[in-house]
Amino acid sequence: MNTAVLVTFGLSIVGAIAIALAGARAVRFSRWIALAAPAAAAWSGLSYLLGAGPGGTGGAPYIGEAVVVSVRWLSRADAGIGVGLAVDSLAAAMLIVVGVVAAMVVLFSFGYMAEDRAQARYFSLLSLFTGAMAALVTSSSLVGLFIAWEIVGACSYLLIGFWYTRKSAANAAMKAFLVTRLGDVGLLAGLAVLYHETHTLDLASVMAAVPDLAGPTVALVALLLFAGAAGKSAQFPLHVWLPDAMEGPTPVSALIHAATMVAAGVFLVARTWPIFEAAEGTRLLILAIGVITAAGASVSALLQTDIKKVLAYSTISQLGFMFAALGAGAWVAAVFHLVTHAAFKSLLFLAAGSVIHGSGTQDLREMGGLRRAMPVTSATWIVGAAALAGLPPLSGFFSKDAILEAVWHATPLAGAALFAAGAVTTCYITRATRLAFCGTFRGSARPHESGATMWLPLVVLALGAASLGAASGEFARAFGGHGGLSLPVAAASIALAVAGGLVGWRLGETGARRAQSGVAAFVAGGWGVDAAVVRLAGASVVASAALSERVDAGIIDGAVRAVERLAQGISGELEGLQSGDGRAYSGLVAIGAVLVVGLTLWLGR
């Protein structure tokens, strides 16, 4: 086990360097190295779950049962900060998710990026991205987690802006970087508070010290950690970066939305769960924000015409479901939905990539009839869509219903809002499915099925999206949950899903022809939050610039000008002494000598 985990990080770093150094000429061979790190990550997680003995952590997700590496990074006389790697059941499950999804993304990219001249840079970044996320989920300390957290952010910035010569891509990358940094400031502040109170950032030690912390301190730390999680996992109002992140290559979107960037926030809350368990007020806030995000983003997804934007808002909405579960205290349900969502959302994004590759467009209004030209892509998309909609017996049905049940029992009003969001979910994915795969083709290209390196990952992920629900009971038992299925919740969920599907089918019939009204455009644009944030940020920058200009002109430049005037005044008074008269100079020297001698005698008394 130790060797397997260490190999994961070694392969990711060495692989990234090797691919970059090999360059474009050798990329047909070097890109296979990018498969090594995901395969090692998946094998590490699987080998732990198969041979570790205890199936879970008994509700304590922060305890590392097998520390692989632990070193002192910073130290002083009475305390120190260490970094290390630890694997428990939660880390192992995340390693499998990261490894499998990343491997499928890399394999899919063989075909999708085949004509791109910058493939070496692309596959090098994918390898580093995978290794950073694996380091994040296996870190035994919050310092190591934060370092990996920032590397994940840097990789996402570089991959979102991969086609940096395109202004929209460069802007999207910068937007993602800046918005997520806002949350990261909160996370860093939370770590500072924890270190001040506990004198350590080792996960097990910090979590063990939580019962001894004052209530306000725990609430503050939970709020700061959630700020970091909300930024990474695109929760309201820090969700505005995610729709624009679609400017990157579609396989990158699959990796970010399913297994790396956005999963990090949910994982952080689960990993530090004792802090949130003790902060009831913060959990109530998390529940409210999760519900708002889930409901609002689902309606925005319903009105998109870009197939990738539909899935982007869908990801925001599904993350809202996970945070609502965390707010309701059901961290096991949230993590299980993270796992199933990784399968069906990566499937949907890669299927969208196949559609774009085969049809030459990502505009749903220019698609149609693709089920005949792209049968494998069509069939696997439908599996992913059904799993997202929560239809039995697919994986999304079990994980979504576990969340609905937990939130309904915690707060019926929030539960009702999530039921409605679930119906809208079925509505928008049915609409997108009909627009893309049914009817007749409305585009100008000749659609065709993608090659084997692209459709094989779709089949693998479709199998996962279809079958993971069978593991719901075992997953819940491994982490201390009950894993049962509430029949009333399931019945209501299915009924609403069917109703939403019927409405979505009807919208798919008219959606290709109907222009969006002003209100619809407002909702499709994210309810104006993005524009408001841009205006607020712009106003803040302008105000800061104006204040800086006044400070610079009034204080800094004023001080310089005052010194200038003083020097000019003194020089003006002294310039009269420069008369050119030797006798006057001799007199001044004599007077000066007398003053110096007199001062010396006086000081020497």
Side-chain angles (χ1 to χ4, degrees), residues 224-312:
L224 292 171
L225 295 182
F226 172 64
K232 271 288 193 287
S233 293
Q235 293 300 284
F236 174 86
L238 299 180
H239 67 283
V240 294
W241 66 269
L242 195 55
D244 290 343
M246 298 301 96
E247 290 291 339
T250 303
V252 170
S253 300
L255 190 59
I256 289 176
H257 285 244
T260 52
M261 183 82 161
V262 300
V266 178
F267 172 81
L268 173 66
V269 177
R271 179 57 94 192
T272 57
W273 182 247
I275 294 175
F276 291 89
E277 189 174 31
E280 185 176 355
T282 303
R283 281 195 286 112
L284 183 61
L285 175 64
I286 294 173
L287 174 61
I289 289 179
V291 171
I292 291 171
T293 305
S298 66
V299 178
S300 293
L302 183 61
L303 299 172
Q304 302 303 314
T305 56
D306 185 321
I307 191 171
K308 290 177 68 175
K309 284 288 185 71
V310 172
L311 299 180

Side-chain angles (χ1 to χ4, degrees), residues 213 238 277 314 400 509 573:
L213 298 178
L238 299 180
E277 189 174 31
S314 172
K400 185 190 73 173
E509 180 182 6
E573 294 296 329

Side-chain angles (χ1 to χ4, degrees), residues 288-386:
I289 289 179
V291 171
I292 291 171
T293 305
S298 66
V299 178
S300 293
L302 183 61
L303 299 172
Q304 302 303 314
T305 56
D306 185 321
I307 191 171
K308 290 177 68 175
K309 284 288 185 71
V310 172
L311 299 180
Y313 278 104
S314 172
T315 298
I316 297 172
S317 179
Q318 294 302 304
L319 289 166
F321 273 84
M322 298 176 209
F323 276 95
L326 292 170
W331 73 266
V332 177
V335 173
F336 185 54
H337 194 57
L338 185 155
V339 172
T340 62
H341 178 264
F344 62 70
K345 188 52 64 68
S346 60
L347 167 60
L348 288 171
F349 264 109
L350 293 184
S354 180
V355 166
I356 295 168
H357 184 269
S359 66
T361 181
Q362 58 192 62
D363 192 331
L364 288 166
R365 295 166 297 184
E366 298 175 1
M367 298 179 188
L370 295 180
R371 72 181 187 279
R372 292 182 292 273
M374 309 178 70
V376 178
T377 300
S378 173
T380 53
W381 168 280
I382 290 173
V383 172

Side-chain angles (χ1 to χ4, degrees), residues 371-465:
R371 72 181 187 279
R372 292 182 292 273
M374 309 178 70
V376 178
T377 300
S378 173
T380 53
W381 168 280
I382 290 173
V383 172
L388 171 62
L391 296 179
L394 302 178
S395 60
F397 168 73
F398 295 93
S399 59
K400 185 190 73 173
D401 281 18
I403 291 176
L404 291 174
E405 180 184 3
V407 175
W408 176 265
H409 285 301
T411 310
L413 181 61
L418 287 189
F419 271 108
V424 178
T425 299
T426 310
C427 187
Y428 68 67
I429 199 62
T430 303
R431 169 185 172 270
T433 301
R434 182 167 187 179
L435 285 173
F437 296 100
C438 301
T440 58
F441 186 65
R442 297 178 293 273
S444 56
R446 179 174 294 180
H448 58 277
E449 185 61 271
S450 302
T453 58
M454 294 177 68
W455 61 253
L456 182 59
L458 300 182
V459 174
V460 173
L461 291 171
L463 292 174

